[in-house]
């Protein structure tokens, strides 16, 4: 009991240190190192059998639970403008569902970028259309560092240096390892021989024949699993669209197997240029030992996870739209019901109700007698594509004047045909009666 109490006190102190570093905005590398120490202490502590058992359950009020698949992920955007709010609403759930359904690899073209820099000025030009996905295995990294001569005490810090190879050159990484972290130059050179390689299943097979790496048990297990992964990728016809990248390190210690990262590329400005990566937009891996730490019986729970860089995606898309000077719709409304004369509020209310009942996203200005010009300007500002205009003559003729906001073209449509015409113009399924 005394030993457990001492460990609990150490966990408490280490937790306070991590929180303090976060409050002080310490470097990410230092925080990660202290978090790793905290996790190790918790692992030594183990489960407390005296405490009540609990079961992890899937929250009921998740996007796919309470609200359905077309729900919007709600962000605290009170300080954001209408355009940004609309953009984030429209992007979040479709992109999350896109990745969750494993469609990330079903992109038309893939490229492998040699280097990307977060401060690349091309990020502001707005040409972002392609992904590539790279994979590695934490056991391969462990084995590689071991045969290169990296001591256990330096593994974590050298790993974080290697993980920077997607942003800076090898020479810069080597200088950091040798000059700042005290690694012997010959050890750094041996690491460089490995981590600068990337490829496909042929690289996996080459490393399986490596006289040193193939003698390391951990590395051999990782290479075996990656070979199996590429066999499955071949069956899906996408093996040439995934890169086995030995520089991919993923800094967290709880990864136990495969690790992966998706990078968004900026398409070349001119033919023949190399595509430039602008950063990781999704990453994750396997962590079979993490969840079991919270199980009272210490059982292993196989897990694979993925995190999405939502803020980074938003920033890229916002820059792209700004560069292209594209108008962002701040509403999903398809048609505004407007009036051309006064004293037609009741007719507008009647028509908007008919459109709602037919599944049309319609709205109207709630002023009693709004000016037609104000109603049209509202549509242009909000990006509403159509206006259904009611006037005294239209009521007599039994028609509605349907106006395209962008082209300003107007046509008279019979009232009974209005729903089908709006659906045709907005791409909604037509009613088959």
């Amino acid at each position: 009991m005394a030993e457990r109490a001492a460990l609990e006190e150490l966990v408490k102190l280490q937790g306070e240190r991590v929180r303090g570093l976060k409050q002080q905005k310490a470097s990410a590398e230092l925080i990660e190192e202290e978090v790793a120490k905290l996790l190790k202490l918790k692992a030594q502590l183990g489960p407390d059998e005296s405490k009540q058992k609990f079961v992890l359950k899937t929250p009921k009020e998740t996007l796919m639970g309470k609200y359905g698949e077309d729900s919007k992920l709600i962000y605290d955007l009170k300080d954001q403008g209408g355009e940004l709010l609309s953009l984030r609403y429209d992007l979040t759930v479709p992109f999350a569902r896109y990745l969750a359904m494993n469609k990330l690899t079903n992109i038309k073209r893939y490229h492998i970028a040699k280097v990307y820099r977060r401060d690349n000025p091309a990020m502001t030009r707005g040409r972002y259309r392609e992904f590539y996905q790279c994979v590695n295995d934490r056991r391969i990294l462990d084995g590689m560092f071991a045969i290169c001569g990296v001591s256990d005490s330096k593994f974590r810090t050298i790993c974080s240096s290697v993980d920077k190879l997607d942003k800076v050159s090898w020479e810069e990484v080597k200088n950091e390892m040798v000059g700042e972290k005290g690694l012997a130059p010959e050890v750094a050179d041996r690491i460089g021989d490995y981590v600068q390689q990337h490829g496909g299943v042929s690289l996996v097979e080459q490393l399986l024949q490596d006289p040193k790496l193939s003698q390391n048990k951990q590395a051999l297990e990782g290479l075996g699993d990656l070979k199996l992964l590429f066999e499955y990728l071949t069956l899906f016809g996408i093996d040439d669209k995934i890169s086995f990248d030995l520089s991919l390190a993923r800094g967290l210690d709880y990864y136990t197997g495969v690790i992966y990262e998706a990078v968004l590329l900026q398409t070349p400005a001119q033919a023949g240029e190399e595509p430039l990566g602008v950063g990781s937009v999704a990453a994750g891996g396997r962590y079979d030992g993490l969840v079991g730490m919270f199980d009272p019986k210490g059982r292993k729970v196989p897990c694979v996870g993925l995190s999405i860089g939502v803020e980074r995606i938003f920033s890229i898309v916002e820059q792209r739209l700004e560069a292209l000077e594209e108008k962002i719709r701040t509403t999903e409304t398809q048609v505004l019901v407007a009036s051309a004369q006064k004293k037609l509020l009741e007719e507008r209310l009647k028509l908007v109700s008919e459109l709602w009942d037919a599944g049309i996203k319609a709205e109207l200005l709630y002023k009693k007698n709004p000016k037609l010009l104000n109603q049209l300007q509202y549509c242009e500002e909000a990006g509403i594509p159509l206006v259904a205009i009611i006037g005294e003559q239209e009521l007599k003729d039994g028609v509605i004047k349907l106006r395209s906001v962008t082209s300003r073209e107007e046509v008279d449509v019979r009232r009974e045909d209005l729903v089908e015409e709006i659906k045709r113009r907005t791409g909604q399924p037509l009613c088959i009666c």
Side-chain angles (χ1 to χ4, degrees), residues 27-301:
S27 68
E29 182 179 324
L30 179 58
I31 292 174
E32 286 180 2
E33 289 179 0
E34 296 304 318
V35 168
K37 293 177 183 177
L38 178 60
L39 291 175
K40 288 180 180 178
L41 285 172
K42 287 184 176 180
Q44 294 175 23
L45 185 63
D48 188 351
E49 299 293 344
S50 64
K51 292 186 177 179
Q52 185 178 1
K53 179 180 179 180
F54 66 91
V55 179
L56 295 174
K57 294 184 178 180
T58 303
K60 293 182 180 179
E61 296 191 1
T62 55
L63 290 174
M64 304 298 288
K66 179 178 178 182
Y67 300 108
E69 66 172 355
D70 290 323
S71 306
K72 306 297 186 182
L73 182 59
I74 305 303
Y75 271 66
D76 182 12
L77 296 175
K78 295 178 182 177
D79 60 335
Q80 306 290 355
E83 290 188 354
L84 181 57
L85 179 65
S86 176
L87 175 64
R88 295 190 172 207
Y89 268 30
D90 291 342
L91 279 176
T92 303
V93 170
F95 188 81
R97 192 185 311 132
Y98 181 68
L99 288 178
M101 295 301 291
N102 295 323
K103 292 181 180 178
L104 183 61
T105 55
N106 192 21
I107 309 294
K108 290 182 179 179
R109 295 177 61 204
Y110 291 75
H111 299 280
I112 303 303
K114 294 180 180 177
V115 173
Y116 69 83
R117 297 177 183 272
R118 297 188 186 276
D119 58 350
N120 194 317
M123 285 184 64
T124 60
R125 296 175 188 164
R127 302 185 303 276
Y128 309 101
R129 297 174 187 163
E130 299 165 9
F131 292 90
Y132 77 84
Q133 189 166 359
C134 52
V135 298
N136 198 0
D137 193 292
R138 194 57 183 262
R139 294 165 295 180
I140 299 175
L141 282 170
D142 290 354
M144 179 185 69
F145 286 149
I147 66 170
C148 288
V150 178
S151 63
D152 292 342
S153 62
K154 289 187 181 295
F155 173 84
R156 182 68 186 79
T157 186
I158 297 303
C159 188
S160 66
S161 295
V162 169
D163 204 36
K164 296 177 182 177
L165 269 175
D166 54 359
K167 309 171 191 70
V168 299
S169 68
W170 164 246
E171 286 303 318
E172 291 175 270
V173 170
K174 179 182 175 181
N175 289 339
E176 178 181 300
M177 291 192 298
V178 175
E180 298 179 20
K181 300 182 177 180
L183 194 68
E186 61 273 15
V187 174
D189 289 335
R190 288 195 288 268
I191 293 173
D193 292 339
Y194 285 107
V195 298
Q196 295 182 80
Q197 299 184 65
H198 58 74
V201 67
S202 60
L203 178 57
V204 177
E205 293 173 346
Q206 173 187 324
L207 293 175
L208 281 168
Q209 303 302 317
D210 185 283
K212 293 183 178 179
L213 200 61
S214 61
Q215 299 302 310
N216 183 277
K217 182 181 177 181
Q218 280 188 304
L220 202 58
E221 289 176 355
L223 288 168
D225 282 356
L226 272 189
K227 184 178 180 181
L228 179 62
L229 172 62
F230 272 96
E231 288 175 3
Y232 291 154
L233 294 173
T234 300
L235 294 175
F236 284 121
I238 56 174
D239 58 299
D240 60 332
K241 298 166 183 170
I242 309 295
S243 170
F244 171 30
D245 189 343
L246 280 161
S247 70
L248 178 63
R250 300 293 298 151
L252 300 176
D253 283 338
Y254 55 68
Y255 287 117
T256 58
V258 66
I259 50 179
Y260 40 80
E261 194 169 85
V263 175
L264 183 64
L265 295 180
Q266 172 208 354
T267 50
Q270 299 177 2
E273 285 187 1
E274 184 79 12
L276 295 176
V278 296
S280 170
V281 294
R286 173 169 289 280
Y287 44 95
D288 290 346
L290 185 62
V291 176
M293 292 169 54
F294 304 98
D295 188 290
K297 295 184 179 179
R299 292 170 295 192
K300 284 191 175 182
V301 182

Side-chain angles (χ1 to χ4, degrees), residues 364-426:
L364 74 163
L365 297 188
Y366 288 99
K367 285 187 176 181
K368 192 171 184 179
N369 296 304
K371 295 180 180 180
L372 180 59
L373 180 60
N374 292 342
Q375 296 171 88
L376 297 178
Q377 285 178 339
Y378 173 75
C379 289
E380 291 184 358
E381 292 169 0
I384 300 173
L386 298 172
V387 189
I389 303 174
I390 302 174
E392 294 175 358
Q393 189 62 46
E394 285 78 14
L395 289 173
K396 290 179 183 178
D397 297 341
V399 300
I400 301 294
K401 192 177 295 294
L402 192 61
R403 177 187 175 100
S404 168
V405 175
T406 53
S407 68
R408 302 186 179 181
E409 177 187 2
E410 296 180 349
V411 293
D412 288 340
V413 180
R414 293 178 53 171
R415 188 160 184 148
E416 57 267 31
D417 298 332
L418 181 62
V419 168
E420 297 301 311
E421 179 63 18
I422 291 174
K423 287 185 175 181
R424 184 185 69 80
R425 293 194 182 204
T426 58

